[in-house]
Every structure is written in structure tokens, then in C-alpha cells.
Amino acid sequence: MTVTATTVGESDPMPPQTASSARGRRLVRLLPAAAAALSGLLLYVSFPPRTLWWLALPAFAVFGWVLRGRSWKAGLGLGYLFGLGFLLPLLVWTGVEVGPGPWIALVVIEAIFVALVGAGITVVSKLPGWPVWAAALWIAGEAARARVPFSGFPWGKTAFGQADGVFLPLAALGGTPVLGFAVVLCGFGLYETVRLAVRARRTGTLHRAAAVVGVLSVAVPPVAALAARALVGDKAEDGTTTVAVIQGNVPRLGLDFNSQRRAVLDYHARETERLAAEVAAGRVGRPDIVLWPENSSDIDPFVNPDARAVIDKAAKAVDAPISVGGVVARDGKLLNEQILWDPVKGPVDTYDKRQIQPFGEYLPLRPLVGAINENWTSMVRQDFSRGGEPGVFRMNGTGVGLVTCYEAAFDWAVRDTVTAGAQLISVPSNNATFGRSEMTYQQLAMSRVRAVEHSRAVTVPVTSGVSAVIMPDGEITRRTGMFVADSLVQEVPLRSSLTPATRLGVLPEAALVLVAAGGIGWGVGAGVRARRRAGDA
């Protein structure tokens, strides 16, 4: 008979029950990371073109659950995962024509801001009333992201996902910061309310002060939004004007649509002349003003007689002033310019785009970018220059504020056209570069938020769609399809009163940043004191 000796220390196979327990523990450890990424994805799904705005609330509720009570280092990582889950799908359109490199690089950088917010939320998460501090921190992160690097990138602000939501009237009260704060506060408050209810059921005790804060965090934002509806209206204060929004379309999708610049100009002139024929036949009302999109004449009409003649003919045919989007070289500068074209006098005023797009209209760090990929530098051969003054055209007696494409994402760029006398706002854009991606719908939602924020009708003339007319209450009354030639004619109200958001400007955002800073200071101080007490013990 053979006897097998087992030496002490030799490893036996792990019992099935022990192996299963180890896998379970690993899954539990991975749960917060998965939840952070999935809640970020849920926030993305709440954005246009979907109308699922309410999904932002459970997205932030889960984010609050993931972060509360953890270390700041864990918050940094979990916040980064939330940022990736949100921004990777939201900004995928940035790589439609240039490949995944710039898209991923942009998301990797932008998610850092969300990571820092995540770390900050863990610091304040044990404070009384933590949903308030945490929501203010989120808005502080958005404020930073809207300013740095390269003058900022505010795309994806929480407010821009709420164009169809019940919170939208708050834009008129305090702009995008207050609207976004209300949504995030409600989401964090939802988690806090559920957490306290579960705890009370388990232990039989309820922390009343914390419960009050949780309930108020959920209840106050929608009640405030309901009260703010009084600030939203589309009543004409200075009469009305009839606008014509021209969408001429482009020969092809993608970056190379500019290779047929003359065709793009001809398309917009042709659609304007078609509209003029409809007006002459009595089938359409006569417009007082005509609005062309950004890049509708990439041939400089100031130096090219053919382009000048095409625009002049269209203006005379429709017998109304046209705002033309052109690319103009002047005094050694390249400018993205709106040109006010009078049917009798020709070009009489200009507005130069002030917030130009990094890596699209100018190339920061050109030598470094060229070393990485020469093709990227060839896409932006010459940098555009920035304008210096807000643009308000007087068109048949109407003050039309110009906010060119990318500028619509920046609070200041829209607000100062209104304070400079705009009675309605035009957002001329060129989305042909991004094909049929969600970018067009995301930008259209921004314009709807801006309409409510400043109580102005907003027109969105786009080269290839979706062009639209938006009332001051954010409702779209006319819209085109994508990649079709079309025109929209609509009588819109003119307004001159200023909403609280317009009057207050940056103050609500600054106040929320100060609240966030106060919360961080309190949280850090409380943590230091707790560690000292533990050391003394």
C-alpha cells in the first residue's frame, strides 16, 4: 500500500465556495467603477437628439451614491470614469472627419475636470447639506471647463441637456449655471432621500435635519422652475419682424465641402432667389430680413467681383438686407465674418467671430501638433483672427445679435449681444463638417436654452441643417431637414426687456463657485479635525 504524505505549506486547490467568495469580493470592488461609468453614460443619453432630459436625475443620483464617503483619491478615479462615460459618446462627432485621435485626446483632457469635481465631492460628502455643496462643485467644474485650456470648451454643460425639461425656465433666472445647478442638486437630493429612507427602515431612526435637506433638494428645484415660468414669454414688446432663414445645402458632406466654395455660395443665392419668386407669386410673406449661415460665402466678396455679384443679385431679388457668412482676408488677418448686405448699398457692416474654435479655426501648439501628425496642421493652414466687439446688425430697424456657431456654447458671447441691443438673436452655423452626427441637435438645444435665458427669438441658419426658428420660450416653430435646400419664413416677436439672467451675467456662476470653495474649505477642515481627534485617542 502506498502512502502519500502531504507537506505542510503545500497549496491545495481552493475550495469552490472560497473561490466563489473571492470572485464575489472582486465584483463588489468593481461595482463603484462600473456604476460611475454607466451613470456618465446615462447622463449622455439624457442629451439631444433624445428628449430623455429626466435621466440626468438618476445619473447624478448614482454618481452621488458612488462618491459619498469615499477618499478623495477614489473620487478622482471614479469622477474620471464618470467623465469618460459621459463625454466619450457625447463628443464622438469631433472625430467624424479627422479620426479618433483628436476625439479621444479631447475627452481625455475634458474628463480631468470631472475627475477633480469627483474628488471634491468626496470631501464635502459628509458635511450637513452635502447635496448643495456637491451640486455647486459640479457647476464650478463646468465654469473651469468653459475657460481653460485654449479659452475653454463648455460643450456638454448640464443645462444644454434640458431644452425639453421642466427646469428650463430657470435659465431666465440665472442662466445656464442656475439651470444646471438645479438639475444636479435634484439628482444628488434624490440619492440622499433614498439613502436616508433605507437607513431609517433598517435602523428605525431618522436624522431629521438631513432628511429635510434631502427632500428640499428634490422639491425646491422644480418648484423654483415653476415659479420662474413667469419670466418666460414670447409677447412682442417692440413689434414683430418677418425673418427668412436660408439653408442652401452643400455639394457633399465632410471637410472637403469647402473645395466647392463657389457651389456653396451659388446654392444659397439660388435658394434666396427661389424664395423671392415665392414671395412675388404671393405664396410666402415678404421677409424683412434674410439670414444666411456661417461659411455661405467662403469666397471673399470684398476682393472677388463674381462673389459680390452673386450676393448682390440675391439681395436685390428678395429686396431685403441679408446677413452673409463669409471668410474674409483683411489687413493680413483671416476672419470668420458676418457681412450685412444691403440690396441697394451692398456691404454696410461686419461682425468678426470672437470665440474661434481651437484646432478648427486656429491651431494652438502648432509645432507640437505638427510633430505628432502633419495632416492635422495641413487642415488649418492659416489661423483665423478674433473679432473684438459684439455684433448687432440693424436690419430694417431690427437689432439682430450675431452669435456665430461655436460661440453659442459660451455664456458671455450670447449675453453681450443682448446687452448691446439685440432684439432677436441669430446663430449662423456650418455643421456640414460633422455630417449627420448628433452635433447639430446638441447645438440646436443650446440655442433653445439661450432663447429662454435672454427672452429673445433665436434663428439658426445652417448650411446643411438643421436650421430652425425658435420662440423666446424655447419652442421650435419652424425647422428644416438635414442636407436639403430649404428656407424658413416666420414672423417673430421683438423684445428689449432683460431677464434676471441677462442682468446678472456671471454673478450666479461666481456665487456658486464661492459656495463650492466654502464647501471644500469646510470639508478639508472637518477632515483635519477628525484625524487629530483620532490621533489623540
Side-chain angles (χ1 to χ4, degrees), residues 281-504:
R283 290 188 288 268
V284 179
R286 179 174 298 279
D288 299 306
I289 60 178
V290 179
L291 303 167
W292 284 12
E294 179 188 34
N295 297 126
S296 47
S297 179
D298 278 358
I299 302 174
D300 187 343
F302 292 104
V303 298
N304 189 301
D306 288 349
R308 184 184 185 104
V310 168
I311 299 170
D312 211 41
K313 181 183 175 186
K316 284 180 167 58
V318 78
D319 193 25
I322 304 177
S323 178
V324 178
V327 174
V328 173
R330 183 183 299 117
D331 301 327
K333 298 178 179 180
L334 188 63
L335 301 166
N336 186 338
E337 191 166 82
Q338 287 291 310
I339 307 163
L340 175 54
W341 207 282
D342 185 86
V344 176
K345 300 176 183 178
V348 294
D349 200 359
T350 60
Y351 165 66
D352 299 323
K353 187 177 182 180
R354 294 169 295 160
Q355 187 65 49
I356 55 177
Q357 184 181 353
F359 303 99
E361 293 171 305
Y362 78 101
L363 198 59
L365 311 174
R366 185 176 286 271
L368 176 61
V369 173
I372 297 172
N373 190 324
E374 290 183 1
N375 292 331
W376 294 346
T377 59
S378 66
M379 292 177 186
V380 188
R381 292 185 178 89
Q382 181 182 351
D383 292 342
F384 280 82
S385 296
R386 299 175 185 271
E389 299 293 333
V392 180
F393 286 167
R394 299 302 301 183
M395 302 179 72
N396 265 340
T398 297
V400 180
L402 283 308
V403 181
T404 306
C405 197
Y406 184 56
E407 292 181 322
F410 293 82
D411 294 348
W412 64 267
V414 185
R415 176 180 178 268
D416 65 6
T417 65
V418 177
T419 57
Q423 296 165 296
L424 69 87
I425 299 170
S426 181
V427 186
S429 303
N430 172 26
N431 298 341
T433 302
F434 305 107
R436 298 183 182 276
S437 71
E438 293 183 357
M439 181 269 188
T440 293
Y441 302 100
Q442 293 170 9
Q443 190 178 55
L444 184 60
M446 291 181 195
S447 296
R448 294 179 63 191
V449 173
R450 298 305 185 192
V452 174
E453 182 178 11
H454 301 291
S455 194
R456 295 292 188 273
V458 176
T459 60
V460 186
V462 184
T463 49
S464 55
V466 173
S467 298
V469 178
I470 305 167
M471 291 294 106
D473 61 1
E475 180 186 0
I476 297 175
T477 54
R478 301 290 305 278
R479 65 188 296 167
T480 69
M482 293 186 73
F483 294 99
V484 294
D486 203 352
S487 57
L488 307 174
V489 179
Q490 174 88 43
E491 184 180 22
V492 299
L494 301 179
R495 295 175 62 87
S496 55
S497 62
L498 302 181
T499 64
T502 310
R503 294 179 185 276
L504 293 170

Side-chain angles (χ1 to χ4, degrees), residues 256-270:
D256 65 343
F257 84 94
N258 274 331
S259 65
Q260 292 193 11
R261 295 177 298 168
R262 177 55 190 268
V264 175
L265 171 57
D266 287 344
Y267 284 7
H268 285 83
R270 183 188 308 159

